[in-house]
Amino acid sequence: MRDAVGILLRHPGDAVAIVKARLSGKRVRAAQAGAALFGLDHHALRWPGGERRRASVADVEGAGITVVLADEIARPLSPDVAIVVLTATGHALADGAPTSLARAFAAHPDRFALYGDALVRSGDALLPVLRPAFDPDYLRAVDYIGPVVAFRRTALDAVGGLGALDPQAPAFDALLRLAATFGAKAIAHLPAVLSFADDESCATTPPAGEGGRDNLSARLRIVRQDLERAGQSDVGAIPARDGVIAFARPLPDPPPRVSLIVPTRDRLDLLRPCIDSLIHRTDWPDREILICDNDSRDAQTLAYLIELTRQGIARVVPCPGPFDFAAMNNRAAMQATGRVLAFINNDVTATDPTWLDRMVREALRPEIGAVGARLIDGRGRIQHGGVILGPGGLVTHAHRFFPGEAPGYLSGLLATRRISAVTAACLVVESRKFAAVGGFDAAAFAVDFNDVDLCLRLNAAGYHSFYVGGAVLTHDEAASRRWTEEAQTRHAREVATFKKRWGPLLAQDPHYHPGFDPDLGTYARLRPGWPGADPIAPR
């Protein structure tokens, strides 16, 4: 307690910000800020349940399971084997895991592979590795699942059998083969501890929770084969930072026009750096800039808008009336000429010139809807790493207040992967997809939740929201917002509407483990009382 008081006294500005967030009803934001201030992150996660025993041979055999190590995949299987667990030296099934796997396969005949969570021994501590639901894009970038995975024997036979798998990463190879053959829904996550590993033998799941990045040469080989099988041999799989695999997808020739849409009201101190970065620190051959002007009155701002128009650098779209973020962006989108729309807040600045190229390449994929970036705040911390549904009963930003260069939990800040939603502070989407779902819902969400609502409607239409960890910009969040009494009333109304429309989805985000504290949202603390005694089901 004394240490906590000392930290607050040494950081009075942070302490005041936490209190203000709490008093304004942003309790998750306040908790995240407190976690950052006290140095609470996933490195401090500890398993609360005490020692776990290994599953006995009798339990494994009684469940009809055969365990196969990576160096044993060439051996023939007995004809009566129904379930195969691929594993690696130093990893073992936990007590109760064989029964859980057998029951899940029996209850869900459409699931061909199941994986769970793990405990990693580090000294005297057991460190939990809690995984999200299956995402083939995430898996290609980072092996966040292996090496312990259970498969139906029939499914393995359908993709060539054990002998066809890469011996250096057989579970990783098998998962990608199954996803390509049967679809991603054939693979499910059981949110329970199914295995554990010794710290000296588990490079794939190190204590930091940033694993799955070793064995790079084998993973690259397997991923490239997977892309070839999918008819995507023109997609480059590239070793990136810390063993994460990045992807360079081909562009049409010529590349499509991108319409960069920036809403503003005065605030030249924000607008000028934003526009300068879109002009000078954004590499894209064909782009236009549309500025949604919401009744600017400042003489310098007006002169700046006139000069941009005169030089042909930007078009100004008049958006008079009360501030309506959704309607302003919709109006500009209707006037845009680009195949791709990029919505940019006026308090966002580009720092890495490749950001738009990285995002557009993903947004052009037929199955991808809204695409978001890694946003860094003015203090060099993560402001946005994707949106998580559920914390605090609403939504929050993943990894908020982590160091800007942090890899994130299970390398989630570096990887290109699916996510439930992204912020419209920097959101890229094809114009036809945006129009197909009706754009932002200005009637329901004039200011708040319009971005998450858009993403969820795109998801419901069959697209995937996407996070691109290699696209990095800075965001001085809400620097141009005014938290008036009227704004608070409007916010409360939009909160109620959002909960009514999307309430069932707020129960549990598939991209966030149910074992994490729902009131924090930063992978830093386990849910009180987890794991419970309730039955678990694949997700």
Side-chain angles (χ1 to χ4, degrees):
M1 181 66 178
R2 185 177 301 171
D3 291 342
V5 172
I7 291 173
L8 291 172
L9 291 175
R10 289 194 299 272
H11 301 275
D14 290 318
V16 170
I18 291 170
V19 172
K20 285 184 176 180
R22 188 74 185 184
L23 292 176
S24 65
K26 299 179 179 179
R27 59 187 179 89
V28 174
R29 179 80 58 88
Q32 291 171 327
L37 184 60
F38 295 117
L40 181 64
D41 63 16
H42 58 290
H43 297 89
L45 283 175
R46 295 293 184 271
W47 175 251
E51 191 67 40
R52 290 293 300 267
R53 294 191 302 113
R54 294 170 181 260
S56 68
V57 174
D59 288 342
V60 173
E61 293 178 348
I65 292 175
T66 293
V67 177
V68 179
L69 291 168
D71 57 4
E72 298 175 337
I73 61 172
R75 77 176 191 185
L77 292 174
S78 170
D80 59 348
V81 170
I83 300 172
V84 176
V85 172
L86 292 178
T87 185
T89 301
H91 296 259
L93 287 176
D95 184 36
T99 300
S100 295
L101 289 168
R103 287 176 176 172
F105 275 125
H108 301 274
D110 57 336
R111 306 295 196 179
F112 296 161
L114 295 171
Y115 64 96
D117 307 314
L119 295 179
V120 176
R121 180 174 296 284
S122 178
D124 294 331
L126 287 174
L127 312 180
V129 178
L130 309 183
R131 299 178 170 109
F134 182 70
D135 171 3
D137 286 289
Y138 194 3
L139 183 62
R140 291 189 188 106
V142 178
D143 183 7
Y144 69 97
I145 293 177
V148 182
V149 185
F151 299 89
R152 291 186 189 274
R153 163 75 174 277
T154 53
L156 287 176
D157 289 344
V159 296
L162 287 177
L165 302 179
D166 192 301
Q168 289 189 269
F172 179 78
D173 191 4
L175 286 168
L176 290 177
R177 289 172 182 261
L178 260 65
T181 304
F182 300 109
K185 291 184 178 180
I187 301 167
H189 170 238
L190 272 179
V193 172
L194 299 184
S195 67
F196 60 88
D198 298 324
D199 53 0
E200 66 270 14
S201 61
C202 58
T204 54
T205 52
E210 295 162 2
R213 302 175 301 186
D214 66 322
N215 214 2
L216 179 60
S217 61
R219 288 169 44 233
L220 274 170
R221 179 172 61 249
I222 293 166
V223 165
R224 286 166 178 161
Q225 292 170 351
D226 180 56
L227 291 170
E228 284 187 20
R229 287 193 296 266
Q232 300 177 35
S233 56
D234 54 352
V235 176
I238 307 161
R241 176 186 155 193
D242 293 340
V244 173
I245 297 175
F247 299 90
R249 299 184 180 277
L251 288 168
D253 186 18
R257 169 169 290 188
V258 177
S259 299
L260 299 152
I261 298 173
V262 182
T264 196
R265 176 188 286 172
D266 295 319
R267 294 306 303 265
L268 185 59
D269 59 318
L270 299 175
L271 181 63
R272 189 192 296 274
C274 173
I275 298 301
D276 285 351
S277 75
L278 299 183
I279 297 170
H280 301 297
R281 293 192 297 280
T282 300
D283 291 342
W284 192 258
D286 187 4
R287 61 189 188 273
E288 63 173 356
I289 300 174
L290 293 88
I291 300 175
C292 313
D293 179 29
N294 182 217
D295 290 332
S296 291
R297 294 289 184 265
D298 175 69
Q300 290 184 320
T301 301
L302 293 173
Y304 179 66
L305 295 177
I306 290 171
E307 183 62 18
L308 290 175
T309 302
R310 186 187 67 80
Q311 294 184 23
I313 294 173
R315 283 192 286 144
V316 177
V317 180
C319 299
F323 180 74
D324 188 328
F325 181 89
M328 293 163 63
N329 279 299
N330 284 344
R331 178 174 296 187
M334 291 180 65
Q335 299 186 27
T337 61
R339 173 181 168 182
V340 178
L341 307 174
F343 298 99
I344 310 292
N345 276 16
N346 66 347
D347 51 8
V348 168
T349 55
T351 53
D352 177 2
T354 68
W355 72 273
L356 186 58
D357 179 275
R358 293 172 185 264
M359 296 178 75
V360 171
R361 288 177 187 270
E362 302 297 343
L364 292 175
R365 294 168 60 183
E367 71 272 25
I368 300 302
V371 177
R374 177 157 46 119
L375 302 182
I376 312 298
D377 69 15
R379 296 173 58 180
R381 306 172 303 179
I382 295 295
Q383 188 275 327
H384 172 266
V387 172
I388 299 173
L389 306 180
L394 286 169
V395 302
T396 194
H397 287 185
H399 294 99
R400 189 194 292 272
F401 301 134
F402 272 46
E405 291 300 313
Y409 191 74
L410 295 177
S411 299
L413 283 172
L414 299 179
T416 297
R417 59 193 180 91
R418 299 176 188 179
I419 198 81
S420 289
V422 297
T423 178
C426 179
L427 186 155
V428 174
V429 62
E430 276 195 281
S431 57
R432 65 175 182 85
K433 298 169 185 172
F434 181 77
V437 298
F440 293 110
D441 187 346
F445 306 108
V447 178
D448 292 317
F449 307 110
N450 44 62
D451 45 8
V452 181
D453 174 74
L454 171 68
C455 292
L456 296 181
R457 285 186 286 116
L458 283 165
N459 296 351
Y463 301 108
H464 298 291
S465 297
F466 221 58
Y467 166 79
V468 180
V472 184
L473 304 91
T474 62
H475 182 207
D476 191 6
E477 183 184 14
S480 57
R481 293 271 295 273
R482 300 175 179 87
W483 195 243
T484 63
E485 184 176 345
E486 180 183 357
Q488 294 180 54
T489 301
R490 184 263 313 145
H491 175 74
R493 183 173 61 250
E494 292 177 348
V495 165
T497 302
F498 185 77
K499 287 183 174 181
K500 181 178 180 180
R501 178 176 294 182
W502 299 112
L505 295 184
L506 302 180
Q508 179 58 54
D509 191 320
H511 304 284
Y512 194 63
H513 195 285
F516 288 117
D517 190 334
D519 291 327
L520 196 56
T522 54
Y523 306 88
R525 189 168 63 202
L526 296 181
R527 178 193 293 266
W530 187 87
D534 295 336
I536 56 172
R539 63 185 191 126

